[in-house]
Amino acid sequence: MSKRLFLLPCILRSLVVAICVGGCFPCLLHSAPARPNILLILADDLGWSDTTLFGTTKFYETPNVERLARRGMTFTRAYAASPLCSPTRASILSGQNPARVGITAPVCHLKTERLKAEVRPKAPANAKALICDSATRFDTDHFTLAEALKLAGYATGHFGKWHLGPEPWSPLQQGFDVDVPHWPGPGPAGSFVAPWKFPDFKERTPSEHIEDRMADEAVAFIEKHKDGPFFLNYWQFSVHAPFNAKEAYIERHRKRVDPKDAQRSPTYAAMVQSLDDAIGRMLDALERLGIADNTLIIFYSDNGGNMYNEVDGTTPTSNRPLRGGKATMWEGGIRVPAIFSWPGRIAAGARNDSRIQSTDLYPTLLELLGLKPRPGQIFDGVSIAPALEGRAFDRGPMFTFFPHQTKVPDFLPPAVSVHRGDWKLIRLFHQGENGAHAYELFNLRNDQGERNNLAAANPKLVAELDGLIGGFLRDTQAVVPRTNPDYDPTRAKPVVPGVAPIRNVTLTKESGALRVVATGGDPHFQLTPDKPIPAGKAVFVLRMKTESKGGAQFFWQEQGARPAFHRSRRIDFQPIPDNQPHDYRIKFEAKRPIQTIRLDPFPGKGTAVIDAVWIESNSGEKLQDWKF
């Protein structure tokens, strides 16, 4: 049924909302006002250990998050539906898993318009699986949470980050009356601190912080609709890149740095402080207007903390004790802080260990408001109203679908996982022998850090949980990775750790050296350091002999740079074809940490022997040495 055809019955339904609300859940809603205001605060990249809720940080300060927690219920096992932002955002608005929606990666700012996911037709010969390409727009055919609330009589406003598509896929086409700053990008335009680069949204004062401005805009919306009901969707830009903040906040936290603490970036701590400030300003406004007790507040994050960029000479944050972070299927990539507050209806200061997911927000709000889903509407989430009432609650199996492979140290191949009880099974698509799947099984009660893979010792449990995964993929009609028909096992396992053939090249070890044989046009291979190499001036050193003629190329990939290997990060050099060893010293400067090196030894067919290759700093200190 189209949105237009459904409009009339929804309008009729909205006329009786005040009568119906409260009829289904007397324990929680019997004495509740008919239509509470709703404030949904979604942080961006805020990890499970980035607040003071769980005792995992001594560096960050989040007094307003704690203030909100004192008013409501904190969930210790809340999950984003994806380890990356756009898929989780789509899951909140639709109540559906990214596998069903098709948005599985944060690519909705790209020019390519793709409403359905698809499998890539090719992959490198050393890859076992063909990975998927995400949809790049959140299809307006979805009946969104905002549309459901709008038809129930709510004023709807979206403030902050969107990242689900530009016009005609913006918030204004997805059920929101207001969208500020009406920006489709992955982060604030240019900077958190003005001057900004939003095309139609300018700073009021020099050095204005975007989160301060968004909070002011949100408060103005609250004031305008104080007689309610309103749905305020405040999706913060914080604490996503770019990494900058108020100078006064940075300096304050710089004085508090413990060099032994894994969380020690003063810039990131300052960004967390601005995030917390904005929450405080909205809480203040609700209290000042006397509507705090009639406002249901949800605080959530879209994925785990970023552990892979560099800020202030360190990583932005740490998700300890969880493994991994943003862009990984490990717990650090998907477990997030979450609070639900509704004074008089949800117990103040409560903590709940029930497992919940971002897909659950939509069906939960419908149930709390006494609203029914649209006929035929599909939810992958479930209502967590029993948990909010303080009753025993088991969400049942929970699925995370991530058919991509990100270039981070804790990477996993394309995967899908299921949580059930204390168990978590990760299926690695086609990573086993002869195209079979591989598995990682963890008991999270005993192994929160996911270090002890129990799959081999529990084959029956693996089969049982994998059966749940299979049913989920069929039910959601997920576009899944396929086996790579061009996979060549002789090229899959590196002959040298950190060195991998990519295109038209074979590598073999030969008497303490690396023999390179190029078999076609544009041959190249990659060298991956043990850890990202710090930004700055460096020297790539190569000792090589060859008889093959033609120019060579050296590329470096910087964290977050797209495309991975661009001509702006390429240096050409000319090997001497006399079959004698020569040292080639290539000086370069990286603006961000270096993830990967690419070497194109010749333009076409040829042979070379490399005796040594390393990277050293400008002062001569070895930063990485690949041993043959």
Side-chain angles (χ1 to χ4, degrees):
M1 186 184 297
S2 71
K3 289 181 180 178
R4 290 188 181 91
L5 291 175
F6 186 70
L7 183 61
L8 181 59
C10 282
I11 291 174
L12 293 175
R13 185 186 65 201
S14 70
L15 296 177
V16 297
V17 164
I19 299 173
C20 296
V21 167
C24 298
F25 302 96
C27 179
L28 181 64
L29 299 173
H30 181 68
S31 61
R35 292 181 294 177
N37 305 308
I38 299 170
L39 170 57
L40 172 56
I41 305 171
L42 183 69
D44 192 4
D45 285 4
L46 188 76
W48 189 74
S49 294
D50 285 352
T51 74
T52 47
L53 291 175
F54 308 119
T56 53
T57 182
K58 296 180 180 178
F59 188 42
Y60 307 140
E61 297 178 335
T62 52
N64 289 300
V65 171
E66 289 189 24
R67 174 183 170 191
L68 179 59
R70 289 193 294 271
R71 295 167 55 91
M73 180 177 290
T74 300
F75 283 83
T76 62
R77 297 174 66 201
Y79 288 85
S82 169
L84 289 172
C85 60
S86 296
T88 297
R89 293 163 191 274
S91 79
I92 291 172
L93 289 180
S94 66
Q96 296 179 353
N97 194 282
R100 191 185 300 274
V101 175
I103 296 178
T104 55
V107 291
C108 297
H109 59 289
L110 301 180
K111 291 183 179 180
T112 302
E113 296 178 2
R114 185 169 52 242
L115 294 178
K116 303 292 183 182
E118 56 190 38
V119 181
R120 290 186 182 178
K122 293 186 70 64
N126 65 338
K128 291 186 174 183
L130 300 174
I131 65 173
C132 300
D133 280 325
S134 168
T136 64
R137 301 292 186 267
F138 184 59
D139 198 327
T140 52
D141 283 349
H142 292 291
F143 185 60
T144 68
L145 172 61
E147 288 171 318
L149 294 176
K150 184 174 181 178
L151 289 173
Y154 278 74
T156 57
H158 175 82
F159 295 85
K161 177 171 172 172
W162 176 244
H163 206 197
L164 289 173
E167 296 272 4
W169 297 276
S170 82
L172 299 179
Q173 289 84 43
Q174 304 282 9
F176 291 100
D177 302 320
V178 177
D179 176 30
V180 181
H182 197 56
W183 172 245
S191 174
F192 278 90
V193 180
W196 305 320
K197 296 181 180 179
F198 298 104
D200 301 309
F201 189 73
K202 305 302 178 184
E203 60 270 17
R204 298 170 300 188
T205 59
S207 301
E208 184 176 23
H209 194 284
I210 188 62
E211 220 62 80
D212 290 344
R213 178 65 173 277
M214 285 297 96
D216 286 349
E217 297 283 349
V219 167
F221 179 84
I222 292 172
E223 291 173 338
K224 181 177 180 179
H225 300 285
K226 64 181 184 299
D227 295 327
F230 62 78
F231 170 43
L232 171 52
N233 198 50
Y234 183 17
W235 287 3
Q236 296 180 288
F237 287 110
S238 302
V239 285
H240 193 281
F243 298 103
N244 54 58
K246 297 179 183 179
E247 285 298 328
Y249 282 9
I250 295 173
E251 290 306 312
R252 176 179 179 275
H253 291 291
R254 196 185 308 279
K255 299 173 183 177
R256 304 175 54 249
V257 169
D258 177 357
K260 297 180 181 179
D261 192 338
Q263 294 173 326
R264 57 179 182 273
S265 165
T267 299
Y268 192 83
M271 295 173 74
V272 172
Q273 184 174 352
S274 286
L275 175 150
D276 189 76
D277 286 349
I279 294 171
R281 290 166 85 155
M282 283 180 285
L283 295 180
D284 290 344
L286 294 172
E287 292 171 0
R288 172 171 52 81
L289 295 170
I291 57 175
D293 288 349
N294 190 34
T295 301
L296 168 59
I297 304 174
I298 301 173
F299 172 69
Y300 223 89
S301 181
D302 64 355
N303 53 249
N306 184 335
M307 294 177 60
Y308 307 115
N309 289 114
E310 182 180 14
V311 189
D312 303 324
T314 184
T315 57
T317 190
S318 169
N319 296 303
R320 77 303 169 72
L322 306 181
R323 182 175 181 180
K326 173 183 178 178
T328 77
M329 292 277 286
W330 305 116
E331 291 290 285
I334 55 176
R335 196 187 295 192
V336 295
I339 302 169
F340 288 67
S341 170
W342 191 4
R345 279 80 190 176
I346 298 174
R351 292 174 79 87
N352 195 306
D353 295 331
S354 300
R355 178 171 33 79
I356 65 172
Q357 192 183 46
S358 57
T359 53
D360 302 337
L361 302 189
Y362 191 164
T364 298
L365 285 171
L366 291 189
E367 184 165 348
L368 295 182
L369 299 177
L371 301 176
K372 294 186 179 298
R374 177 181 182 174
Q377 187 171 9
I378 296 173
F379 287 134
D380 295 310
V382 302
S383 171
I384 66 166
L388 296 175
E389 295 171 5
R391 295 188 283 126
F393 176 73
D394 182 356
R395 188 198 180 282
M398 181 187 82
F399 301 93
T400 308
F401 180 66
F402 193 59
H404 307 284
Q405 181 168 303
T406 53
K407 293 184 177 180
V408 296
D410 290 307
F411 84 95
L412 283 169
V416 58
S417 72
V418 59
H419 287 70
R420 191 186 69 178
D422 295 327
W423 293 97
K424 175 182 179 181
L425 179 73
I426 304 174
R427 175 202 280 188
L428 305 173
F429 286 107
H430 309 299
Q431 299 302 307
E433 295 296 326
N434 300 317
H437 304 310
Y439 298 94
E440 303 251 357
L441 177 68
F442 302 98
N443 186 300
L444 296 177
R445 179 178 295 275
N446 302 324
D447 181 20
Q448 187 172 231
E450 296 174 285
R451 298 297 177 183
N452 186 18
N453 181 8
L454 302 174
N458 295 273
K460 290 184 178 180
L461 180 58
V462 169
E464 182 181 348
L465 295 177
D466 193 49
L468 296 177
I469 287 176
F472 160 76
L473 295 175
R474 290 190 296 272
D475 177 62
T476 57
Q477 299 181 14
V479 176
V480 299
R482 296 199 296 262
T483 55
N484 179 12
D486 298 326
Y487 171 66
D488 182 351
T490 65
R491 299 173 61 184
K493 188 174 291 186
V495 295
V496 176
V499 182
I502 301 299
R503 180 183 174 90
N504 291 336
V505 67
T506 60
L507 306 176
T508 54
K509 290 180 70 173
E510 184 179 277
S511 302
L514 183 69
R515 183 176 180 81
V516 182
V517 178
T519 58
D522 190 28
H524 56 270
F525 62 98
Q526 290 182 3
L527 302 101
T528 303
D530 298 331
K531 60 182 180 180
I533 295 171
K537 294 181 179 180
V539 183
F540 178 75
V541 183
L542 176 70
R543 183 173 301 136
M544 180 175 72
K545 63 181 180 180
T546 182
E547 292 182 321
S548 303
K549 297 180 180 180
Q553 295 176 333
F554 161 79
F555 294 81
W556 69 96
Q557 180 197 3
E558 298 179 5
Q559 284 184 342
R562 296 290 184 273
F565 299 106
H566 190 264
R567 60 179 176 271
S568 64
R569 296 182 296 278
R570 184 188 81 191
I571 296 176
D572 298 341
F573 65 103
Q574 188 70 46
I576 301 171
D578 61 359
N579 204 31
Q580 297 297 317
H582 295 277
D583 284 352
Y584 302 93
R585 297 180 61 83
I586 302 169
K587 296 181 179 181
F588 68 104
E589 183 173 2
K591 297 179 180 179
R592 288 176 283 190
I594 303 163
Q595 284 188 307
T596 313
I597 299 298
R598 168 177 156 177
L599 192 63
D600 299 29
F602 341 98
K605 294 182 179 181
T607 303
V609 175
I610 299 175
D611 295 317
V613 58
W614 70 84
I615 294 178
E616 62 184 41
S617 68
N618 213 33
S619 61
E621 176 191 1
K622 274 194 179 180
L623 303 175
Q624 174 70 38
D625 189 359
W626 287 272
K627 299 290 188 182
F628 306 135

